Amino acid sequence: MGGGSRPGTPSSMGGGASGASAGPKAEPVTVSIVSGVAMLSIGCKAFFEKDGEIRQAEILSIRDKAKRQIIQRTADDAPIDNSDGTVEYEFYVHYVEFNKRLDEWVIDARARLDKPVTFPKKKNKTAVIGSQQSVRDKRRKTNIGSSVATGSVPQTPEAIRHDDSVYTAPSETFSKEKEIEKLRTQGSMTQSTSEVARMKNLNIIEMGQFQVEPWYFSPYPLEYAYTPTLYICEFCLCFYASRMQYSRHRTKCALQHPPGNEIYRKDEISFFEIDGRRQKTYCRNLCLLSKCFLDHKTLYYDVDPFLFYILTKRDERGCHIIGYFSKEKESADNYNLACILTLPQYQRMGFGRVLIQFSYELSKAEGKVGSPEKPLSDLGLLSYRTYWSEILVDVLVGYDGEISIDELSHITSFTTQDIMHALFNLDALRYYHGQHCIVLSERVVEAYERFQKKKHRKIDAGCLKWSPKVFSQAELRYL
């Protein structure tokens, strides 16, 4: 999803050890066969059975299945005494070269001990001390040479919504507990996403009639995380740790739709516009929920600079949330979308395309071109590429005569960069007689014809009851 507000990809930092002896370089130790699962440690890479296949996975955590107690065993520790067989291990693993959404707890019976196990590199204490000293020296030089105290600069919305790849690895004073607390109370994401967000902290989310398994870490308060099931009201998005609490809330909750203005309605589909400044609690709960399914989203509690557009499906009980997208009230880069999500229970039903189309209908109403904030998630990028290609081919097939990239931009409200990206993806640009031409291959035209035969959800611009908002300086003073 959308881009810019967005935790998950581990970041890296090169560390020098100048001025200290690094000692001999330690190589990873590979063991052909281990005698038992008690020898496996956090950080090692072993093989586990997954969906009928044998996959290599990195162990991120170990726990006693019966007690649900975490076992902090590293490669330097002795194997745990389990001679009586009372401990049944569970391993939280990340499958190598697979997306983090597949990370899971697995039982020890799924470990393939007949395969080689790669243990993590043992740390050289001399090299670590030298590296830390080098970092401190570098910081001291930076502070002396700088005229601005970088530590005193407040976190702004622009800095908040960067992809986590810009963050560096933690310093020697990193505290996981402090970083998680920072997630819940501030707009900025942790500076150690590789450590804090590697493990999912929720098992099952229940919303209405659906039970969904989260994909990624989300910084819900500790009293709600790590519970068997987290219950979320699908109308106000308040969350509860027990079914009794949730049932009591449902008898009192008066909401039957998102707390905003309904700006679009056709058939069973409605869109609601919500100002992040007016409905902070709802929007913050929405950010917590969306982080469960967006790896590249940096959770921010400063929701004031954003408008949220909630897609709902209406029935006799109310308007049920399907997905949403957010956009900045004032974007210097003309972004028409900051973050986009279709909840897993409604994916592969065409609702992602509806959200994207609606964002461009708003851009057309504003008389502007727009583009999603970068970087996009893997699923978001795939959805946008497909949408751009479908709309451009639809325009080109029905157009008679010459057309320029700027004219395509005016018709579709796409930016010229997005149009070029989609045309390159279609392999539709050719150089002919000294000029570039757009040529649609037979394969592209046939795919377009097959697409036209299918039924697709579309936005009816005539049902949109919305006019662009103009915000005063007082309303934008947080920017």
Side-chain angles (χ1 to χ4, degrees), residues 28-96:
V29 179
T30 301
V31 181
S32 298
I33 297 177
V34 296
S35 58
V37 293
M39 294 185 65
L40 299 178
S41 62
I42 296 174
C44 75
K45 293 182 180 179
F47 286 85
F48 295 85
E49 294 180 358
K50 168 71 172 176
D51 297 334
E53 299 179 356
I54 300 176
R55 300 180 183 176
Q56 189 181 35
E58 180 184 357
I59 297 177
L60 304 182
S61 183
I62 306 174
R63 72 182 181 187
D64 185 339
K65 182 179 179 180
K67 299 179 181 178
R68 292 297 174 98
Q69 180 180 355
I70 300 297
I71 301 173
Q72 299 292 345
R73 182 185 182 277
T74 64
D76 297 329
D77 299 331
I80 300 171
D81 183 16
N82 190 30
S83 56
D84 55 357
T86 56
V87 179
E88 186 177 357
Y89 295 102
E90 280 190 325
F91 303 95
Y92 190 86
V93 299
H94 167 67
Y95 296 103
V96 177

Side-chain angles (χ1 to χ4, degrees), residues 12 41 43 118 147 163 187 192-193 204 207 237 257 282 295 310 332 345 373 385 407 409 412 439 446:
S12 60
S41 62
T118 303
S147 60
D163 176 62
S192 182
T193 54
I204 296 293
M207 290 185 64
L237 302 186
H257 59 77
Y282 181 90
D295 190 20
I310 316 298
Q345 59 265 37
E373 192 172 338
R385 279 178 177 170
E407 289 172 329
S409 178
T412 61
V439 179
E446 290 174 358

